Amino acid sequence: MSNELLNELTFFVLSIFVGIEVISKVPTILHTPLMSGTNAIHGIILVGAIVIASNATSPLNIVIGLVAVTLATTNVVGGFVVTDRMLEMFKGRQAQKTASAKESTPAK
Amino acid sequence: MNTIIELAYLVAAVCFILGLKQLSSPKGARNGNRIAAVGMVIALVATLPLLHFTTAGVIIIAIGVVIGGAVGSIGARMVKMTAIPQMVALFNGVGGGAAALVAVAELLRFGQHPAFAEAFPSVFSIVIGSVSFAGSMVAFAKLQELMTGKPITYPGQQVVNGILAAAILGFVIAVLAVASIPFSFVSLMVLALVLGVAFVLPIGGADMPVVISLLNAFTGLAVAASGFTLNNFALIVAGTLVGASGSILTKLMSDAMGRSLGNVLFGAFGQTHAGTAAVAGKEGRSVRSGSAEDIGTLLAYSQRVIIVPGYGLAVAQAQHAARELAEVLEKRGVEVTYAIHPVAGRMPGHMNVLLAEANVPYEQLKEMDEVNDEFKNADVALIVGANDVVNPSARNAPGSPIFGMPILNADQAKNIVFMKRSMRPGFAGIDNDLMYDPKTLMFFGDAKDSLTKLVSAVKAA
């Protein structure tokens, strides 16, 4: 087994434990934003898509690269934006009063 | 040169971990998401200097980023909050598809007889990524109601799925051990896509969030596998983090429904049908229904009201009307809380998002364990568009498909007001005994209209 593979396996195993440890503390009310947030993080595949697309020359590679980059970008951008939209709504009591005051003023 | 990139990846990984950690409190959550996004940008920028771009490469990356960026941001901004689960399914599916394609490109580059350490993760990523892509699309179609949300089953389904899985395994062995036959990945991908569809078809719409969460974990693993293929540290760490967290979340979700994951995934076979048939036999019992004035007066002269919101409230866009009713009641000195079932809405936490959108203070939102003992002291349990989460058959009907699911004790309140469009059963497709309870008043109509009527009735009372 090469040194590089060994290093990669180490990161892999440690990441499993970190992932479990970090997640098990999230309260239920944040589960949907959390799922959406982790969904955005696996958009890191965009890095891989750019790597394989960067040196594409054959038509087959060009098609695969184009589709992969498009799908991965959709994943990253959509994932982070939709998570942000969800979390924007969680405000404390104070923040809410100012927000609703602002909203109701122009309406009347 | 590589050192700087590796260091940047390390920073990105720390951002992802800190981001996930920040998501554990409502106050820090938005920041957490941003920290993760910063990590993503760092990882992307750090990757670029390492690459040798061809002209075609630059063009396709630019086109892909522009199209993907537009689709992602427009989709994410336009989507209604009620449609969030299917949007997550869609974004998850495209990620899985991208992971599979990256692995395909690598496998093509390796040529004949790649080393096992390179071929294995590629093949793994192709299979899991394709299953995740196809499964997510079916989940999307079910939730978007492009197809029936009911489980689709046929005789011998498990045998067919088993044969599919065996065929995939056979291909994997062929690719890994015998030879890397050019284009063998095409058959592999097609089989995996078919398996993805076949895997999700027999699962009902109510269980879709659990499936999406599982497929989210799958995509994470596919991304990690692609990371092994590309020897890319950022992909391995981020993908694995998602794989691990997604698995935990999947377990938490099926726990909240009081079922094992196996039961959620394969439960459509057998027992569910028997349960439905047994419950359906109870048709024809009488229910009491009340007018807006009756119920308005009842609410106005109560001391404690617990609102049980469900998906029906969300589809009717009645969150604001619910908050208005709560405010009118609070002005009269009535204590109002919201009882949030873990799977209210379409996903754990979905209802909180929807109510937060309507500016309901989250101090008023009580989780199930917190609120369940308070129902017996409540004068009214006001059920708005919820059904399965208050269905007593989860407690006392072993044949029911939702038997064992923890429910809200709405039946213990002194009065129950059940607001519903019709007597139609809920998302799980089963009848609810609570509607026939002598303490229950039915109030039929669209949730938003009904709540608005109640607001005026309370004001008049």
Side-chain angles (χ1 to χ4, degrees), chain B residues 101-262:
Chain B
L101 288 175
V102 168
V104 165
E106 279 304 285
L107 204 57
L108 283 175
R109 201 175 56 82
F110 293 144
Q112 302 278 339
H113 299 288
F116 180 79
E118 286 169 329
F120 178 73
S122 306
V123 169
F124 181 88
S125 179
I126 291 174
V127 173
I128 300 295
S130 304
V131 167
S132 178
F133 176 79
S136 298
M137 293 306 143
V138 176
F140 172 80
K142 284 199 176 205
L143 289 172
Q144 192 67 33
E145 288 167 13
L146 299 175
M147 59 185 284
T148 171
K150 291 203 180 107
I152 297 175
T153 51
Y154 53 86
Q157 192 166 18
Q158 277 169 310
V159 177
V160 172
N161 289 0
I163 291 172
L164 266 174
I168 288 175
L169 199 64
F171 257 103
V172 167
I173 293 169
V175 172
L176 291 182
V178 185
S180 171
I181 318 144
F183 297 99
S184 60
F185 71 87
V186 175
S187 334
L188 195 59
M189 248 183 140
V190 170
L191 282 174
L193 289 172
V194 174
L195 181 66
V197 173
F199 169 65
V200 179
L201 276 183
I203 304 171
D207 292 336
M208 233 12 87
V210 181
V211 175
I212 297 171
S213 177
L214 184 71
L215 294 174
N216 187 38
F218 275 15
T219 305
L221 289 178
V223 169
S226 293
F228 275 98
T229 315
L230 292 167
N231 293 317
N232 187 302
F233 165 69
L235 259 62
I236 296 175
V237 172
T240 311
L241 279 173
V242 176
S245 67
S247 307
I248 294 288
L249 190 55
T250 310
K251 192 184 172 303
L252 290 175
M253 283 182 179
S254 39
D255 284 354
M257 302 172 95
R259 298 160 66 186
S260 70
L261 185 57

Side-chain angles (χ1 to χ4, degrees), chain A residues 22-45:
Chain A
V22 168
I23 291 319
S24 52
K25 287 173 189 157
V26 176
T28 328
I29 64 156
L30 284 169
H31 277 169
T32 293
L34 172 70
M35 183 202 259
S36 183
T38 55
N39 182 39
I41 289 176
H42 69 51
I44 189 83
I45 190 64

